[in-house]
Amino acid sequence: MSSSERPLSPHLQVYRWRVSMFTSIAHRASGVFLSLGAPVLVGWLIAAAASPEYFDYINGLLGSMLGKLALLGWTLAFFYHIANGVRHLFWDIGAGFEKPVYRTTAWLAIAFAIGATAYVWAPIFMGGAA
């Protein structure tokens, strides 16, 4: 059989999406996104220590619409990564591998991330905090 006749491996278009697939991919993506946000946090802390002018400049960038959108994404990634990390800790001790349990905990991790992010950001979007 030549290489052009070989069957292709199934890809994402072939599989029916399941919550476990989403949580696995999202956990990795949230970790990468948090890693990209770490230099922003460090820059903000350096600005706070450097001077009021530099701190105001960084706060202005983070207070822009694009900055708030990035901070919102980092907040969601943080809460999701924490919640899904707790699931992984339970898996490390051998608990929670039954289908109903891992599906339920997957949805709980997603719901927690969305709910906690909404709780943190509601005052900002409602105009209570800047």
Side-chain angles (χ1 to χ4, degrees):
M1 185 185 282
S2 71
S3 63
S4 63
E5 297 172 14
R6 292 176 53 197
L8 298 175
S9 296
H11 200 266
L12 293 177
Q13 295 90 349
V14 176
Y15 291 111
R16 194 175 113 222
W17 273 89
R18 301 190 189 286
V19 70
S20 58
M21 290 173 63
F22 172 77
T23 56
S24 177
I25 294 166
H27 189 74
R28 289 169 175 82
S30 64
V32 169
F33 196 59
L34 288 171
S35 297
L36 296 174
V40 175
L41 175 62
V42 170
W44 182 76
L45 292 171
I46 290 170
S51 71
E53 296 80 21
Y54 187 47
F55 186 68
D56 289 341
Y57 173 74
I58 296 296
N59 272 346
L61 291 176
L62 294 175
S64 70
M65 185 54 84
L66 186 59
K68 284 182 181 179
L69 186 62
L71 289 171
L72 176 69
W74 283 316
T75 306
L76 181 64
F78 173 76
F79 284 126
Y80 177 74
H81 205 75
I82 290 290
N84 206 47
V86 169
R87 289 178 71 219
H88 281 264
L89 288 174
F90 278 98
W91 292 348
D92 287 344
I93 62 170
F97 284 116
E98 300 82 18
K99 276 187 182 181
V101 175
Y102 77 70
R103 286 184 184 145
T104 301
T105 57
W107 285 111
L108 285 173
I110 294 166
F112 171 77
I114 293 169
T117 301
Y119 179 78
V120 168
W121 279 86
I124 295 165
F125 285 121
M126 302 301 260

